[in-house]
Amino acid sequence: MVPADRTEWVSMNPEIETWARQLGANLQSKNLMATTAESCTGGGVAYAITDVSGSSAWFDRSFITYTNVAKIQMLGVAETMLLTQGAVSKEVVTAMALGALQHSVAQVSVAISGIAGPQGGTADKPVGTIWFAWARSAEPTATLVTECFHLIGNRQQVREQAILIALQGMCKLIQ
């Protein structure tokens, strides 16, 4: 059994719950499905989405690709890209978002890769560096948006902020 403090933090934030519900309403109104490709959030976005009753009508699946091998195997991210750009990069989250769309029936995706801490940061990519990519393959036009955030806080706070940003970005992408 997983201790309550390990999973409840996602659903305990009412803002995350609000945005997950809003995402569901937006997707349903446009008859779209969503998917996630998550690294540093470890499935937190998918957890928030599936905490909404009825989310199976608008959420297809999640890819939790915490390692580079998982990114390669599950999403088709090129190994050379991971070696040259690093997992926490615009190029990799772009490949993750597009790979999630290719390996699902969804039309909308979000990909997240970053350094939640407390270890793992470098001078170029300090703790709190999180890259996002949001992709939409649906008509009228395909869309891809990428953005890097530098979040502040402990590991849990960084991950929670990333989940919120991911949901908000998905809502913005489909409006």
Side-chain angles (χ1 to χ4, degrees), residues 23 34-35 49 108-110 134 166-174:
L23 175 61
T35 184
I49 287 171
V108 178
S109 70
V110 63
W134 296 272
L167 293 168
Q168 291 169 335
M170 290 180 88
C171 286
K172 184 177 179 182
L173 184 71
I174 59 178

Side-chain angles (χ1 to χ4, degrees), residues 10 22 32 34 37 41 76 79 89-90 99 102 108 142 152 160 168:
V10 176
Q22 183 62 53
L32 298 172
T41 49
E79 183 176 11
S89 65
K90 177 180 182 175
Q102 291 172 352
V108 178
I152 298 170
E160 192 169 328
Q168 291 169 335

Side-chain angles (χ1 to χ4, degrees), residues 68 71 77-96 113-115 122 124-125 129 131 148:
N68 287 351
K71 290 172 181 66
V77 176
E79 183 176 11
T80 55
M81 182 186 302
L82 287 159
L83 293 173
T84 59
Q85 304 300 319
V88 181
S89 65
K90 177 180 182 175
E91 294 80 6
V92 169
V93 292
T94 297
M96 289 171 65
S113 187
I115 305 160
T122 66
D124 291 339
K125 297 176 185 176
T129 303
W131 271 100
C148 183

Side-chain angles (χ1 to χ4, degrees), residues 15-161:
E15 194 173 7
I16 288 175
E17 182 180 350
T18 298
W19 280 99
R21 290 183 186 287
Q22 183 62 53
L23 175 61
N26 292 353
L27 287 163
Q28 282 190 298
S29 73
K30 298 189 183 300
N31 199 31
L32 298 172
M33 295 285 285
T35 184
T36 66
E38 302 182 61
S39 187
C40 64
T41 49
V45 178
Y47 180 90
I49 287 171
T50 58
D51 204 36
V52 177
S53 179
S55 57
S56 61
W58 47 271
F59 182 67
D60 180 45
R61 68 189 76 184
S62 178
F63 301 90
I64 302 172
T65 56
Y66 208 69
T67 66
N68 287 351
V69 171
K71 290 172 181 66
I72 294 165
Q73 291 177 347
M74 296 173 73
L75 300 172
V77 176
E79 183 176 11
T80 55
M81 182 186 302
L82 287 159
L83 293 173
T84 59
Q85 304 300 319
V88 181
S89 65
K90 177 180 182 175
E91 294 80 6
V92 169
V93 292
T94 297
M96 289 171 65
L98 296 175
L101 290 176
Q102 291 172 352
H103 293 91
S104 71
V105 299
Q107 300 82 30
V108 178
S109 70
V110 63
I112 308 160
S113 187
I115 305 160
Q119 295 108 352
T122 66
D124 291 339
K125 297 176 185 176
V127 169
T129 303
I130 313 290
W131 271 100
F132 296 83
W134 296 272
R136 180 175 174 176
S137 64
E139 295 297 331
T141 59
T143 307
L144 176 68
V145 177
T146 59
E147 193 167 356
C148 183
F149 287 80
H150 297 280
L151 306 176
I152 298 170
N154 64 32
R155 182 175 179 82
Q156 179 177 325
Q157 292 166 331
V158 167
R159 287 167 48 120
E160 192 169 328
Q161 291 171 70

